[in-house]
Structures are given as C-alpha cells and as structure tokens.
Amino acid sequence: MLTQLTINNFAIVRQLEIELAGGMSVITGETGAGKSIAIDALGLCLGQRVESAMVREGQERAEICASFHLEPHNPAYHWLQEQELQDAENPSECILRRVINTDGRSKAFINSTPVSAAQLKEIGQCLIHINGQHASQLLLKNDYQLQLVDSFAQHPDLLDQMRDDYRAWKNLQTQVKTFQQKIAENESRKQLLQYQVEELDEFNLLPNEYLELEEEQRRLSNSEQLTQLSQSALQLLSENETVSIDTMLYRTTQYIDELVELDPRYTDVQNLLNEALIQVQEATNEVQHLSSNIEQDPMLLQEIEQRMGQALQLARKHNVKPEELVEWHQKLKAELTALLDFSESEELLIAQEKQPSHKCKQQQRH
C-alpha cells in the first residue's frame, strides 16, 4: 500500500507531500492544479522514462520519493528478498526514490540502495496499478498474467514453497557458475601441480634426509683427515707412554694420594683427578671406537653427492632450501588435493541444482 508520496522541484511543483491512509483516497482539484503531475511523478518512481524538462525551471534536479507498506504475501515483499534489497530493520517498508538532473540523467534507489530503472519498473508492477486508457495493455504481460492466475488459485503456501525452491535453485546456479569459472582458472595450476607433485613423489626425499646426507657426505669426503686427527688425539690421550694425558694424570694422582695421607685437605683434589682420569679413559675408548668405524667408500660418497645434487636442483626449481623440500612437497600435495576436491564439489552442486526442477515438476502434477 502506498503510504506517502513526496515531490520536489518536479514540473511546476516546488514541493508536495501526500500521506495516504488505509482505505480509499480521492484527490480532486481544478484543471491544472497538478493532479496528473502527482500521478506522473509516481510513475517515475515506478520506472517510467525521464526527460530533462521534468525538472522545475531554475532548479538543478527533481526528486520524487514514494513509500509503501508491504504485507508478507505481497509479491514485492518477496522480490525485495530475492534481490537482497529488503530493509533488515523494517522489512515491511519499501521506499522508492528517483532523482532527475537537468541533463536528463537520473538515479534510482530502492531502500537507499542504487538500482537501475529496469529494477524500479519490475518492482513497480508488483506495487501499484495505474488504470488509464491503456491499462488493458497490462494484461499482455506474462508477469501480470501469472499474478492474476496465482491470485485466483489462492494457493499462497504452494507459492511460497515454489518461491523458496526457485531461490535455492538460483543460488545453486550461481555457485555452479562460480565453481566452473574457478575450475577453468585453476586448470593450468592443477596441471602444473600434478607434474610437480609427481616429480617430488618420484624423488621421495624423506624428512631430515638431506641433513643426514650432508653429515654423511662430510664424513666420507674427510675420512682421511678424520683418521689422522683421531690417531693424533689417541697419541696424546693414551698411546704415548711418556707424554700422554692418561699417563700424566696417573702420575699426578699418585702424588696427590701421598699428599692426602699427609694432609686430608687434598681429598677434594684427589677426587677431581680420579674423575678426570676416568673421563679421559672413556674419551679414549670413544675416539678408538669412532676411528675404527671411519669409512672410505668412494662409491657411497658418489651416490650421496648425486642425491644431494638432485635435491639441490629441485630446491632451486621450487625456490626453497633443500632442507625445506619435504615440507614444500606436502604443501603442493595439499593444494592439489584441494583443487581435485573442488572439482568433485562442482559435480555435487550440479546434482543438487537439478533437484529443485524435479520438485517443481512434482508440484505441477499435483
């Protein structure tokens, strides 16, 4: 129901505000009083064509605003919902506004949201009927014919259900279209990921493997130096009977033992030297064990360096460090899986999209 019409600087009208209550309202007046102008202004709010001459002389623009109160069963109420133009705080209110400039251009608004004139015209057909000498032409429009048939059939619940199904179907259509666009955009990315993941799968670098390869390569490439240094250390630790650390510590402990017998205050020194002697002996055993296991294997060294070279090459290709290659591999696999799942989601959406059409056919049979 139209509740208010406000006109500013339109034709010969400087300012006019009409408030309408429920029931029948009649506007009377002499010829030229502006009755038709009010109807024309209302028509502009409903999407009719504008002209620059409609702006009052001497003014920059004209503005017309029409307010409506809508019941939930009104087609305009549902149209606003579908177009996401409904006022969240007051869904029963619909405000149409048209601003006309002197250059003939205009702006249209529904509930303060900019819209096209076509949208104004579309909702206008649901809001109000202006009966004149050409009013019968409205019967030629399919939308109006449907409104008449639905009104005569008196099946609001079925209409609401059909409207909800249609809205859900349109939403699914939009999602399918979006999915298809994204899939087309991601197809080249998916092909690249498949190639990269297959390459990394084939190489199959294990967690921490590169660091272990580095360590092993360092040992094998320096095996001779490791052997020489180990022997030198063993000479100093124990194998040189005259100047070895073990021998010198042993002799020192003998002197300290005699000192303790004479002065117990040397007991702490005695304990420290005994512990040091034990640690030197353990260190000697460990060096002997490690030096006996030093490998000199050129073939193994070659294999390790070859695998490290492949890892470095792949790391440069992906612009990561070799030790980060395993984590990068998992990241690429996750991205590829997401893209593949995305394609499967499209198939599911397409299947869901077809369901509302089946519902509509079933409702038509009933």
Side-chain angles (χ1 to χ4, degrees):
M1 181 185 75
L2 178 64
T3 58
Q4 187 179 56
L5 178 65
T6 303
I7 304 172
N8 290 300
N9 300 321
F10 178 72
I12 62 172
V13 177
R14 183 175 65 84
Q15 185 176 10
L16 175 64
E17 184 174 319
I18 304 174
E19 293 188 2
L20 303 171
M24 179 178 177
S25 299
V26 178
I27 300 175
T28 63
E30 299 177 355
T31 301
K35 302 184 297 298
S36 298
I37 291 176
I39 300 300
D40 291 341
L42 180 59
L44 291 177
C45 274
L46 302 178
Q48 291 183 3
R49 185 172 175 272
V50 302
E51 297 178 3
S52 59
M54 293 177 173
V55 181
R56 188 168 182 263
E57 187 177 354
Q59 302 299 320
E60 294 182 356
R61 65 180 186 179
E63 184 172 339
I64 303 100
C65 181
S67 300
F68 297 84
H69 177 77
L70 306 178
E71 297 296 337
H73 60 77
N74 192 308
Y77 187 95
H78 299 289
W79 187 91
L80 290 173
Q81 284 183 325
E82 293 171 0
Q83 301 294 321
E84 298 182 354
L85 293 171
Q86 200 170 48
D87 188 339
E89 296 181 358
N90 191 0
S92 297
E93 184 178 49
C94 176
I95 300 176
L96 308 183
R97 186 163 64 94
R98 195 82 179 268
V99 179
I100 307 165
N101 297 321
T102 53
D103 59 2
R105 297 181 181 180
S106 69
K107 295 180 181 179
F109 302 87
I110 298 178
N111 289 333
S112 301
T113 301
V115 296
S116 65
Q119 287 177 294
L120 275 185
K121 192 170 185 179
E122 188 174 350
I123 192 175
Q125 294 176 357
C126 303
L127 287 171
I128 197 168
H129 300 299
I130 299 178
N131 295 314
Q133 58 183 352
H134 300 295
S136 59
Q137 295 179 2
L138 193 62
L139 292 172
L140 301 176
K141 298 184 178 181
N142 293 336
D143 291 343
Y144 185 65
Q145 293 170 2
L146 283 174
Q147 290 179 27
L148 291 177
V149 173
D150 288 335
S151 177
F152 177 77
Q154 296 182 352
H155 48 200
D157 293 339
L158 184 58
L159 276 176
D160 289 341
Q161 184 178 351
M162 179 70 76
R163 188 177 292 108
D164 292 340
D165 289 343
Y166 177 77
R167 190 181 298 118
W169 176 68
K170 290 294 289 183
N171 183 44
L172 284 171
Q173 269 195 329
T174 302
Q175 291 185 45
V176 168
K177 186 176 180 181
T178 302
F179 264 69
Q180 290 173 339
Q181 289 175 346
K182 289 184 177 179
I183 287 174
E185 294 170 358
N186 293 334
E187 185 61 30
S188 59
R189 176 62 178 168
K190 185 172 69 174
Q191 292 178 358
L192 175 62
L193 284 172
Q194 287 175 331
Y195 168 76
Q196 291 177 330
V197 169
E198 287 175 2
E199 185 179 39
L200 291 171
D201 282 343
E202 184 179 354
F203 186 64
N204 193 28
L205 187 68
L206 301 176
N208 299 320
E209 181 184 352
Y210 187 80
L211 296 177
E212 294 171 358
L213 288 172
E214 275 190 323
E215 187 177 339
E216 185 67 18
Q217 187 269 345
R218 192 181 301 112
R219 280 197 296 266
L220 289 171
S221 60
N222 295 286
S223 58
E224 292 184 4
Q225 187 177 4
L226 285 171
T227 301
Q228 293 174 359
L229 291 173
S230 297
Q231 292 301 320
S232 298
L234 287 172
Q235 285 289 326
L236 291 174
L237 285 170
S238 65
E239 293 182 359
N240 190 325
E241 295 181 358
T242 57
V243 294
S244 68
I245 296 174
D246 181 73
T247 301
M248 295 178 69
L249 275 174
Y250 180 74
R251 291 176 182 174
T252 304
T253 56
Q254 289 179 330
Y255 292 133
I256 296 300
D257 289 342
E258 294 179 6
L259 285 171
V260 170
E261 291 179 1
L262 299 174
D263 188 350
R265 290 180 301 173
Y266 285 89
T267 301
D268 290 340
V269 178
Q270 182 186 44
N271 293 333
L272 290 172
L273 286 173
N274 287 331
E275 291 176 2
L277 183 60
I278 293 172
Q279 290 180 354
V280 167
Q281 291 171 348
E282 290 179 352
T284 301
N285 293 334
E286 185 66 20
V287 172
Q288 288 174 340
H289 171 71
L290 292 174
S291 62
S292 65
N293 291 323
I294 294 175
E295 292 184 86
Q296 293 186 358
D297 191 338
M299 294 296 295
L300 178 60
L301 177 61
Q302 183 179 356
E303 291 177 5
I304 290 175
E305 289 179 341
Q306 182 178 359
R307 185 157 177 80
M308 288 179 64
Q310 292 173 338
L312 283 168
Q313 185 177 2
L314 284 172
R316 282 194 295 268
K317 182 185 292 187
H318 293 276
N319 197 27
V320 296
K321 296 179 180 179
E323 56 269 24
E324 298 172 350
L325 204 55
V326 173
E327 183 180 355
W328 180 252
H329 182 195
Q330 297 303 317
K331 183 178 179 180
L332 293 181
K333 288 177 71 174
E335 185 180 352
L336 178 60
T337 301
L339 288 179
L340 294 174
D341 291 343
F342 198 81
S343 300
E344 294 177 1
S345 298
E346 180 202 12
E347 297 176 1
L348 179 61
L349 276 176
I350 292 175
Q352 292 176 348
E353 180 194 6
K354 295 178 180 178
Q355 292 178 3
S357 62
H358 295 318
K359 289 183 179 179
C360 293
K361 290 179 180 178
Q362 291 174 358
Q363 291 170 1
Q364 288 174 354
R365 294 192 189 101
H366 294 303

